[in-house]
Amino acid sequence: MPEVKGLTIMVPKTTDAKALRKYLLGDLSSEGQEAFELWLMSEDEAYDLVLAAEDDLIDEFLAGKLSPTESQQFHDRFLIAPERQRKLEFSRMFREYADRKTVPATAALPAPTRSFWQELGAIFRLQPAFGAVSVALVLLMIGGSVWSGVTSSRLQNRLDSTTTVLHEVETQRQDLQLRLAEIQATSKQLASQLALMDEAVAELKSAGVSGGVIALSLSSILPRSSTNLPTAQLTPATRLIEFTLPLLDDNYPSYSVVLADDGGESLGNRQRRTAKSKDGVKVVVVTMPSKDLATGEYSFKLSGITSADSTEDIAEYYFRIR
Amino acid sequence: MSQMLKSSSALGFPGSRRYNGAQRKAVAPNGDLRRLRSLSSTYPKPDPDEITQDQLNLLLDWLDPDREKAGIRYEQIRRRLVKIFVCRASNVPEELADKTINRVARKLPEIRATYVGDPAHYFAGVAVNILRETVRKDRIPAIGMPESSPATDDREKDYSCLEKCMEKLDPGDRSLVLDYYREEGQAKIDNRRQLAEQLGIGLNALRIRACRIRSDLQACMEKCRAEGAEFAK
């Protein structure tokens, strides 16, 4: 707070528009004026605010908003300064210009509301830097979206491709499972048949009915047309026929035997038969129920099963049933 | 050695166009006053108030030890003093502002040691004293209202000047000054509040900004008018 030889000068910290207006119209008390002038001398923005208040007062005068007393003060005091007269002259012209450039407001209408786009436009016009930054940001966002879209599309394509492969693999897996199930079913069926036959053999053996089984040794050397084909003479007591198929060499871990009629049509088969030694000769033994064999000519087709599970034809054995 | 300045204006440089339209005879400034003089239009006239170069130096030192800053401060104080005298309805505000400054400069050796506070306040106090001394002496009768517009031709030229000056404005300033003076009554108040919000500034800052743009426009238009039709082309 300033002091001159013990005199303390009070400086108002703020001033308001009303006080400014009164000061400009010379309507403040002497003390009020002096306090106001101290504020004007010391505050940074005070001078600019006084200039702005002068503009406002002139505008109010031109708009006819001043009271009669104020108008008188405006004439008698405010307009003494030539600079203010020039301001008034300019303001009149500027007001006319502004009225031409903007849509006049209707007093009865509520405060103007601007749309989002108008607000945005106003911000861009008033703050070009902000506008430039905003445009840059929007461009960046568009670029980012495009890049994101392209990347997303690529990823989607890859995902689609992977999904297709997975689908194919799944289909293959299902096919294999189906085939495995079929093989397992066949295997069970065969195992069941074998078990039944084994039971029958055991039953017969236990019953001591040796006549119920006929043993027939076959030869692969004899052709179908041979008159000396091995022949099984079935009797009503005959239940089973045990066929012995001699091997020239035992070169396979197991063998398969397919029974066919004289027309070559398959009637049944036996899988995974292993060779046995019989009287010093390697043979494959196959037992068939006699009821499955009617009178006629038949053949066994013998194949070797390799360790790689492939089959190789070895020989054919022809025989007759009577 | 002190050099006596023969000038009626404070420190020999601040005087400018008189309000009665008369112009002062220019006196060449000396030393570091030359730069300060360029900051204001100078039309010195003889004045019984005289200060020396030493008094001037002392005053500038008091305002700020840095001579550059002191010069700026000097101009601020003078501009505000002129405004005070204008507001007090003086018809010679610049002359009184210079007189105030001269008086402070002469008084400074006495008060400098004891004065506490902003020097600008001291100027304000002296200005009030000068006002009291000159009350009624320099007042002129109220002027007639400049009701009538200029002649149509001049008016068209002025309008053309104004349009040119508006075009010269930065687009943001042009938009602001038009938006600022839109509407009337409450709508105007709401409009200005909205504008201030958009710009992220206070209402006072907005008023000052609009006022400066308007002031620049006025200066541009007056220059255009002075230069005549050539400018408007």
Side-chain angles (χ1 to χ4, degrees), chain A residues 48 91 96 105 119 125, chain B residues 132 155 175 183 198 212 214:
Chain A
D48 289 321
S91 297
E96 190 182 319
E119 293 283 356
R125 276 185 287 117
Chain B
R132 285 174 187 150
R155 188 174 174 73
S175 178
E183 315 292 354
Q198 282 171 1
R212 283 180 180 163
R214 182 163 150 165

Side-chain angles (χ1 to χ4, degrees), chain A residues 1-5 9 11 17 20 23-24 26 30 33-34 37-56 58-59 61 63 65 74-77 79-106 110-114 119 122-123 125-128, chain B residues 19 73 77 79-81 83-84 86-91 110-111 114-118 120-125 128 131-132 139-143 145-150 155 158-159 162-163 166 170-173 175-185 187-188 190-192 194-195 198-200 204 207-209 211-212 214 217-218 221-222 225:
Chain A
M1 194 169 293
E3 282 181 32
V4 184
K5 292 182 179 176
I9 303 168
V11 182
L20 254 170
Y23 177 72
L24 293 176
S30 160
Q33 281 183 320
E34 287 172 22
E37 282 155 2
L38 281 176
W39 169 78
L40 173 56
M41 289 300 289
S42 53
E43 289 294 321
D44 283 343
E45 66 175 11
Y47 182 78
D48 289 321
L49 285 174
V50 169
L51 293 182
E54 286 180 350
D55 285 347
D56 290 346
I58 290 171
D59 288 341
F61 169 76
K65 297 283 176 63
F74 186 83
H75 285 174
D76 294 348
R77 188 179 178 97
L79 280 183
I80 285 176
E83 68 180 39
R84 287 173 173 171
Q85 295 171 32
R86 290 199 302 275
K87 257 191 175 188
L88 175 67
E89 189 184 337
F90 170 78
S91 297
R92 185 177 280 131
M93 179 161 288
F94 179 74
R95 187 181 171 82
E96 190 182 319
Y97 177 87
D99 284 348
R100 284 191 200 176
K101 295 290 176 186
T102 56
V103 179
T106 306
T113 53
R114 290 194 270 187
E119 293 283 356
I123 290 171
R125 276 185 287 117
L126 294 170
Q127 295 182 315
Chain B
Y19 281 88
R73 186 83 179 110
I77 289 171
R79 194 164 53 236
R80 287 163 196 241
L81 286 171
K83 182 56 69 182
I84 287 172
V86 165
C87 290
R88 292 292 191 116
S90 168
N91 69 325
E110 294 173 37
I111 59 119
T114 55
Y115 183 82
V116 180
D118 185 351
H121 295 158
Y122 189 75
F123 283 89
V128 169
L131 269 169
R132 285 174 187 150
R139 297 241 178 134
I140 59 172
I143 59 156
M145 269 302 298
E147 295 284 0
S148 59
S149 302
R155 188 174 174 73
D158 286 351
Y159 201 83
L162 179 56
E163 283 203 310
M166 285 294 289
D170 174 86
D173 286 350
S175 178
L176 186 145
V177 80
L178 286 175
D179 283 349
Y180 184 82
Y181 291 106
R182 273 178 38 191
E183 315 292 354
E184 292 295 341
K188 175 181 271 186
D190 293 340
N191 179 53
R192 289 181 180 182
Q194 207 169 21
L195 258 178
Q198 282 171 1
L199 293 168
N204 272 349
R207 291 179 75 207
I208 290 170
R209 196 162 156 188
C211 175
R212 283 180 180 163
R214 182 163 150 165
L217 268 178
Q218 184 182 341
M221 207 191 86
E222 286 173 357
R225 184 189 288 158

Side-chain angles (χ1 to χ4, degrees), chain B:
Chain B
M1 188 180 75
S2 297
Q3 182 184 350
M4 197 67 80
L5 300 177
K6 294 181 180 177
S7 167
S8 65
S9 58
L11 313 179
F13 57 88
S16 67
R17 188 189 305 275
R18 296 190 61 169
Y19 281 88
N20 60 10
Q23 290 189 352
R24 302 170 188 172
K25 185 182 176 184
V27 173
N30 68 338
D32 49 4
L33 293 180
R34 187 173 288 116
R35 181 179 45 76
L36 290 177
R37 183 194 295 271
S38 67
L39 296 173
S40 64
S41 54
T42 309
Y43 302 96
K45 71 166 192 177
D47 192 298
D49 294 335
E50 292 177 341
I51 61 168
T52 64
Q53 182 68 44
D54 287 344
Q55 285 171 323
L56 168 69
N57 290 337
L58 194 62
L59 179 71
L60 292 174
D61 286 344
W62 188 48
L63 294 178
D64 199 294
D66 181 286
R67 190 49 58 93
E68 188 77 22
K69 289 178 184 172
I72 293 168
R73 186 83 179 110
Y74 176 94
E75 283 300 322
Q76 284 177 346
I77 289 171
R78 185 176 183 278
R79 194 164 53 236
R80 287 163 196 241
L81 286 171
V82 169
K83 182 56 69 182
I84 287 172
F85 289 115
V86 165
C87 290
R88 292 292 191 116
S90 168
N91 69 325
V92 284
E94 300 200 352
E95 192 175 305
L96 295 186
D98 295 341
K99 196 171 182 177
T100 303
I101 292 171
N102 283 358
R103 188 172 294 183
V104 172
R106 283 196 302 274
K107 196 78 174 169
L108 198 52
E110 294 173 37
I111 59 119
R112 187 175 185 181
T114 55
Y115 183 82
V116 180
D118 185 351
H121 295 158
Y122 189 75
F123 283 89
V126 173
V128 169
N129 289 336
I130 287 179
L131 269 169
R132 285 174 187 150
E133 293 166 14
T134 56
V135 70
R136 294 193 187 90
K137 204 167 69 181
D138 73 331
R139 297 241 178 134
I140 59 172
I143 59 156
M145 269 302 298
E147 295 284 0
S148 59
S149 302
T152 308
D153 282 355
D154 289 344
R155 188 174 174 73
E156 286 305 314
K157 284 176 189 170
D158 286 351
Y159 201 83
S160 171
C161 278
L162 179 56
E163 283 203 310
K164 293 281 178 189
C165 291
M166 285 294 289
E167 284 170 16
K168 283 183 177 180
L169 281 181
D170 174 86
D173 286 350
R174 183 166 54 238
S175 178
L176 186 145
V177 80
L178 286 175
D179 283 349
Y180 184 82
Y181 291 106
R182 273 178 38 191
E183 315 292 354
E184 292 295 341
Q186 185 60 40
K188 175 181 271 186
I189 295 168
D190 293 340
N191 179 53
R192 289 181 180 182
R193 189 170 292 122
Q194 207 169 21
L195 258 178
E197 281 173 15
Q198 282 171 1
L199 293 168
I201 58 178
L203 275 173
N204 272 349
L206 177 66
R207 291 179 75 207
I208 290 170
R209 196 162 156 188
C211 175
R212 283 180 180 163
I213 298 168
R214 182 163 150 165
S215 177
D216 289 347
L217 268 178
Q218 184 182 341
C220 171
M221 207 191 86
E222 286 173 357
K223 184 182 173 197
C224 170
R225 184 189 288 158
E227 289 175 356
E230 283 301 312
F231 181 89
K233 282 179 185 175

